[in-house]
Amino acid sequence: MERDRALFMTMLETGARISAILSRRVKHYQSDVESREGARIKFTEFTGSKGFEGPRIIAQSTPFIERYLHNEHPDPDNEDAPLFAVSAGNYEDGDDNALSPPVVRKRINRLLEGTDLEDKDISPHTLRHVRVTEMRKQGYSDALIKHHLGWSEGSNQIERYSHLDDVEKNKQIAEEMDLEVEDEEFSPALDKCPRCGCRIGSPEWEVCPICK
């Protein structure tokens, strides 16, 4: 379903808690195709925000949301309708019509069937961890990550959520030093010994034969 793809991408990109996303209404999604500012989802006017408030800029999830609103959403012209609503067959005027967290968890499992993630324990909260880790890998500062996730400046949550292992950290360090990085394991590739300048004849060399 278009809705499930849009919801999955929105959870992944915003890093918002599932309760926050399911509380959003159509009016909270703002997209101006002619604007250079991009689409936004406003996270305001809801309880249990835990600091996650204000607009969040989105990009990757925007085309998924647009397709859902134009092709599948049961009440897209109603600004007070849930942004992510129950299917048209279950939509009732006067009801809240928002998806529930248990339904979302089931839809995630259905969406991942037949993929490499099918056997993984993927939950909405897992996607928050993924977002933090990806933002760190992409070079976002801790201050920006904390802002994006709605954490205070003094929060240490970022260390609990980030899952960069030592290999990935070493890769980032090597890349910052303009060293080539192998895809499989961290192994900076050098053309010559940085100590004596001897050309390295094999990437398997552990010690320069001149310097050893």
Side-chain angles (χ1 to χ4, degrees), residues 106-161:
K106 291 180 181 179
R107 299 308 302 179
I108 288 176
N109 292 332
R110 179 72 62 85
L111 190 64
L112 297 178
E113 286 181 359
T115 73
D116 293 339
L117 299 175
E118 182 176 8
D119 297 327
K120 304 295 183 181
D121 185 17
I122 305 295
S123 69
H125 196 70
T126 303
L127 300 182
R128 278 173 63 82
H129 287 252
V130 171
R131 182 56 175 154
V132 174
T133 301
E134 286 301 308
M135 289 185 76
R136 271 197 157 179
K137 289 171 68 175
Q138 292 168 5
Y140 287 91
S141 68
D142 285 0
L144 285 177
I145 296 174
K146 289 178 182 180
H147 166 75
H148 190 74
L149 272 292
W151 296 326
S152 65
E153 291 184 6
S155 172
N156 61 359
Q157 288 276 57
I158 195 169
E159 300 301 331
R160 293 177 50 198
Y161 277 71

Side-chain angles (χ1 to χ4, degrees), residues 27-157:
K27 64 184 176 183
H28 294 131
Y29 171 70
Q30 300 175 340
S31 176
D32 184 351
V33 294
E34 297 181 356
S35 172
R36 297 175 60 91
E37 296 182 358
R40 299 165 184 259
I41 296 178
K42 294 179 63 179
F43 288 93
T44 55
E45 307 168 6
F46 70 103
T47 58
S49 63
K50 296 183 179 181
F52 196 93
E53 298 176 345
R56 291 297 185 274
I57 298 174
I58 55 175
Q60 292 94 336
S61 52
T62 302
F64 293 89
I65 296 176
E66 289 289 332
R67 282 197 295 269
Y68 167 53
L69 289 175
H70 284 89
N71 301 328
E72 192 178 285
H73 194 288
D75 198 9
D77 296 326
N78 179 2
E79 65 174 15
D80 291 319
L83 180 57
F84 298 102
V86 297
S87 59
N90 296 316
Y91 197 91
E92 297 287 345
D93 289 338
D95 288 352
D96 179 69
N97 292 310
L99 290 174
S100 67
V103 169
V104 171
R105 293 184 181 94
K106 291 180 181 179
R107 299 308 302 179
I108 288 176
N109 292 332
R110 179 72 62 85
L111 190 64
L112 297 178
E113 286 181 359
T115 73
D116 293 339
L117 299 175
E118 182 176 8
D119 297 327
K120 304 295 183 181
D121 185 17
I122 305 295
S123 69
H125 196 70
T126 303
L127 300 182
R128 278 173 63 82
H129 287 252
V130 171
R131 182 56 175 154
V132 174
T133 301
E134 286 301 308
M135 289 185 76
R136 271 197 157 179
K137 289 171 68 175
Q138 292 168 5
Y140 287 91
S141 68
D142 285 0
L144 285 177
I145 296 174
K146 289 178 182 180
H147 166 75
H148 190 74
L149 272 292
W151 296 326
S152 65
E153 291 184 6
S155 172
N156 61 359
Q157 288 276 57

